[in-house]
Amino acid sequence: MNRREFLTLSAITALLPGTTLEAARHLLQMNGYPLNMETPLELLTDYLTPNELFFVRSHWIPRMPDLKKWQLTVDGDVKTPLKLSLAELKKLPIAEATCVLQCAGNGRGLQNPTMPGVQWRYGAVGNARWRGVRVKDVLDRAGMNPSAAYLQLFGSDEPPVKVPPFHRSIEMAKAMDDCILAWEMNGVPLPPQHGAPLRLIVPGWAGDHWMKWVMRLSASNEPAKGFYMDTAYRWPITPGAPGVAFKPEEMRPLTEMAVKSNITTAPKRARVGMAAEIRGFAFSGAPDIAKVEISEDDGATWHAAELDTRHSPHAWRLWLYRWTPRHAGRVKLLARATDSHGAVQPREAVWNQSGYLYNAWHSAEVEVTA
Ligand SMILES: Nc1nc2c(c(=O)[nH]1)N[C@H]1C(S)=C(S)[C@@H](COP(=O)(O)O)O[C@H]1N2
Ligand SMILES: [Mo]
């Protein structure tokens, strides 16, 4: 660990009361500033990802609000603008959901050709239980005007001078449908690096929508503008050959995640006739995973894995494949998931110049001996 990495880890542990340097060291620091850390894939074996292992993606430096003075502002195209303290929010009906949070750029570092941006591999993803209130219950108190088709989201983090702020909006229909403003993550108060005191949960949608450190919601008849809406987080309307650069108008805002499975556990070596366990997780933008399959012949034939009993719409599904190798040699095991809408994980990911939503088949190589 170099001095800069050590200082960053010290800063994280200072932010996180009760977390040891040891725990923070499990995360892989991607760059010194701002804070971007992914989880090693082989540690993503729990149904609920422990908070201290959960990846962190922050564009700019968080400004911790004074909790005594903190209020959520609800304004814009509403009948009654509101300011709500955390205590007032907690009096509304409680909402809970177990959902996957994945950075849109997870897997960017695996794209070919390569592109700039944080070189995430597999671990900018986790699954957590989020607790808070429905956005709908908050907005209903303010009374939306019918023209309010978008909800603009403002966090308290600030960019350095001359770089764009992380301003975002989401469609009002999605906000009202199933979004949650959460103050709890896996049964404990939302940790500072994950957006305390309040963050947005957007089930099924990529992480860029999950605004952290929310301090203001503003109803509007138009989406937010600026770099993080008009240039970043866009997806080609019609896919093109690898390497092609799309113009912003040839792309639309990225919303739902793509169906994906990863292998977290596989032996390096196995014996012919001896059972081995292959494990992993699968998720999609669709509400649930229908099946996960394994191939040992480069996708010619597939065999169903067992899905774990724990599941919930928009949570990930752990799976287990009991594999008994039949022949000696080097075997490449492939995993692919199919979601509840019938979308099947593809051999190759859809090319886009920002490397979003990488979901090509994942493989594990095993040396089988007689
Ligand atoms: N205010 C604010 N919210 C934010 C971000 C940010 O930089 N600022 N990053 C977003 C992105 S791109 C992702 S992937 C998720 C990451 O959430 P996590 O750090 O809790 O894992 O937060 C989102 N919310
Ligand atoms: Mo992200």
Side-chain angles (χ1 to χ4, degrees):
M1 194 165 27
N2 66 29
R3 186 177 146 76
R4 191 222 217 155
E5 280 165 353
F6 180 79
L7 288 176
T8 313
L9 284 176
S10 312
I12 303 158
T13 49
L15 274 177
L16 271 167
T19 305
T20 58
L21 194 59
E22 213 37 61
R25 200 177 276 153
H26 287 306
L27 292 164
L28 306 174
Q29 172 75 19
M30 303 306 282
N31 50 5
Y33 163 86
L35 211 49
N36 296 310
M37 301 184 292
E38 73 171 79
T39 317
L41 181 57
E42 64 274 16
L43 297 184
L44 287 174
T45 50
D46 299 292
Y47 180 57
L48 296 179
T49 310
N51 290 357
E52 65 273 17
L53 283 184
F54 211 100
F55 85 96
V56 179
R57 199 305 179 230
S58 297
H59 289 80
W60 311 126
I61 303 296
R63 301 269 177 258
M64 285 308 143
D66 176 348
L67 283 189
K68 288 195 204 76
K69 291 195 201 128
W70 184 89
Q71 285 186 313
L72 173 69
T73 300
V74 183
D75 61 12
D77 207 356
V78 298
K79 295 189 177 65
T80 327
L82 300 174
K83 280 191 189 290
L84 294 166
S85 68
L86 215 47
E88 286 167 322
L89 277 173
K90 287 181 180 175
K91 285 186 196 134
L92 295 173
I94 297 293
E96 273 190 279
T98 302
C99 301
V100 170
L101 165 54
Q102 180 187 228
C103 180
N106 191 27
R108 179 183 291 128
L110 306 167
Q111 289 273 12
N112 185 13
T114 56
M115 72 259 320
V118 184
Q119 298 298 300
W120 303 112
R121 290 172 60 78
Y122 299 102
V125 62
N127 189 51
R129 182 123 186 101
W130 311 95
R131 183 179 165 92
V133 289
R134 295 188 61 179
V135 171
K136 180 177 191 303
D137 287 335
V138 174
L139 296 185
D140 279 351
R141 290 198 45 183
M144 289 299 106
N145 290 327
S147 51
Y150 298 90
L151 188 62
Q152 306 220 4
L153 312 164
F154 298 90
S156 60
D157 47 340
E158 286 172 18
V161 281
K162 291 193 188 150
V163 291
F166 189 70
H167 281 174
R168 304 271 306 161
S169 60
I170 73 170
E171 284 75 2
M172 189 60 83
K174 177 67 177 172
M176 295 292 274
D177 179 31
D178 60 357
C179 291
I180 292 175
L181 287 162
W183 56 75
E184 220 180 86
M185 178 178 183
N186 289 330
V188 298
L190 192 63
Q193 73 276 29
H194 295 298
L198 200 67
R199 85 170 303 164
L200 191 65
I201 306 307
V202 189
W205 287 23
D208 46 296
H209 299 277
W210 295 48
M211 184 63 75
K212 301 195 274 192
W213 311 293
V214 173
M215 55 170 195
R216 180 176 159 220
L217 303 175
S218 191
S220 176
N221 61 359
E222 53 178 16
K225 292 189 176 62
F227 179 78
Y228 290 107
M229 294 297 293
D230 303 328
T231 306
Y233 302 119
R234 297 178 80 85
W235 182 254
I237 294 163
T238 312
V244 66
F246 297 97
K247 298 187 193 77
E249 61 273 21
E250 293 169 334
M251 298 191 285
R252 58 167 177 80
L254 176 163
T255 54
E256 287 188 2
M257 297 183 290
V259 62
K260 178 174 187 176
S261 58
N262 279 131
I263 300 167
T264 56
T265 313
K268 290 264 175 291
R269 274 171 287 280
R271 298 280 298 275
V272 171
M274 301 247 304
E277 290 191 346
I278 317 298
R279 293 177 187 274
F281 57 78
F283 62 91
S284 181
D288 213 342
I289 285 294
K291 62 180 174 185
V292 173
E293 299 161 297
I294 303 294
S295 175
E296 46 181 304
D297 54 10
D298 196 37
T301 58
W302 294 91
H303 309 278
E306 294 166 40
L307 298 182
D308 192 84
T309 51
R310 288 165 293 182
H311 69 111
S312 175
H314 304 297
W316 69 22
R317 197 88 191 245
L318 299 184
W319 54 264
L320 161 65
Y321 183 66
R322 293 177 213 274
W323 177 52
T324 307
R326 297 275 161 235
H327 312 281
R330 198 159 180 76
V331 180
K332 187 164 139 186
L333 295 172
L334 291 165
R336 80 169 180 195
T338 301
D339 72 21
S340 61
H341 291 168
V344 185
Q345 186 177 354
R347 182 188 286 269
E348 304 288 348
V350 172
W351 163 262
N352 62 99
Q353 70 245 43
S354 302
Y356 296 133
L357 302 182
Y358 181 87
N359 71 337
W361 294 346
H362 186 214
S363 65
E365 297 209 359
V366 187
E367 193 67 51
V368 180
T369 49

